[in-house]
Amino acid sequence: MNELSYVSAFLIGLLGGVHCVGMCGGIVSAMTLGIANGIQQPLSKIFPYHIAYNSGRIFSYTVAGGIMGGVGVMLASFMPVYAAQQFLLGLAGVFMILLGLYLSGWWTLLSRLEKVGSVLWRRLEPLGRTLLPVRHVRQAFLLGLLWGWLPCGLVYSVLIWSVSAGSIEQGSMLMLSFGLGTLPNLLAMGVVAGKLVQFMRQPAMRRLAGLMVMLFGVYTCLLY
């Protein structure tokens, strides 16, 4: 795992904004269009809520990345280190290609992976409901912590990559980089709400983002 990997994870998060607007747009727009009483607030008051929500979400990604990095370390103990690296990085490359196909809408195989994660989400989602409507910044942070475990093919693909990171720390850093990449889109969504959603959902945008992510996957497969 090197600096280029972290930059790549950041860019995948950024390009994945075409998916984020669909998965997380509802809760982000809800905070923008109505905190607590359904009354729209000025940006100066709403922005701290978005920062807190996204901080909680990214923290959950970072924890999950550390867990998957630890899984990778355990898997590597069952085979020679070099062979383990080759296998795990090849797997990560394949999942990035699948992610690109998923983002572009050309092949939605990863949606089946989301169904696996829905088992955990069914237990967490009722807790999220208790935090609505959001009345203070701490509540927004807790909501973000829960939303970080929302079943998402985009997140799961980068988590598979985290397995090849080589350590708990590097797995955490990879997911942190990814989470920071998703931040600009979700913060912008909180400011302009529906306008960004309409733009990012355009088929051309989805296909462009998907194609670029697939190139990351092909590069990873060829490099290793």
Side-chain angles (χ1 to χ4, degrees):
M1 193 61 58
N2 52 41
E3 289 77 8
L4 180 60
S5 298
Y6 300 137
V7 172
S8 298
F10 177 87
L11 291 175
I12 288 174
L14 189 63
L15 293 169
V18 297
H19 182 66
C20 293
V21 295
M23 293 295 290
C24 298
I27 184 63
V28 172
S29 296
M31 286 196 294
T32 300
L33 301 175
I35 295 291
N37 298 316
I39 302 172
Q40 189 166 353
Q41 302 286 340
L43 178 60
S44 60
K45 292 185 178 180
I46 205 78
F47 195 69
Y49 288 84
H50 288 289
I51 290 293
Y53 162 76
N54 283 288
S55 296
R57 179 179 59 83
I58 293 172
F59 182 80
S60 290
Y61 291 168
T62 304
V63 170
I67 293 172
M68 296 304 285
V71 170
V73 172
M74 288 190 294
L75 290 175
S77 67
F78 294 104
M79 63 181 78
V81 174
Y82 179 75
Q85 288 178 333
Q86 293 292 97
F87 171 75
L88 292 174
L89 287 168
L91 183 65
V94 169
F95 264 85
M96 275 189 271
I97 294 172
L98 292 174
L99 173 59
L101 293 169
Y102 177 70
L103 291 176
S104 65
W106 289 327
W107 194 28
T108 56
L109 178 66
L110 286 183
S111 62
R112 298 179 185 178
L113 195 58
E114 291 179 351
K115 292 179 181 178
V116 176
S118 65
V119 176
L120 172 63
W121 180 244
R122 280 198 294 269
R123 297 180 179 274
L124 295 177
E125 193 268 341
L127 295 176
R129 281 196 227 137
T130 65
L131 297 171
L132 293 173
V134 175
R135 300 183 185 281
H136 46 73
V137 171
R138 181 168 58 94
Q139 201 170 346
F141 177 78
L142 293 174
L143 186 62
L145 282 178
L146 289 175
W147 230 261
W149 301 97
L150 180 74
C152 175
L154 174 64
V155 175
Y156 291 166
S157 297
V158 186
L159 281 174
I160 295 296
W161 187 7
S162 299
V163 176
S164 67
S167 70
I168 294 174
E169 293 79 9
Q170 290 178 338
S172 296
M173 285 298 297
L174 190 71
M175 285 302 294
L176 174 61
S177 301
F178 163 76
L180 292 175
T182 66
L183 187 58
N185 282 301
L186 288 175
L187 283 180
M189 194 190 316
V191 175
V192 297
K195 294 180 182 178
L196 180 67
V197 173
Q198 293 175 7
F199 176 73
M200 294 296 284
R201 282 181 174 170
Q202 293 180 14
M205 285 297 301
R206 294 184 64 88
R207 288 168 188 160
L208 177 61
L211 182 60
M212 294 183 71
V213 172
M214 279 189 279
L215 290 176
F216 277 117
V218 171
Y219 172 76
T220 301
C221 290
L222 292 177
L223 184 62
Y224 296 99

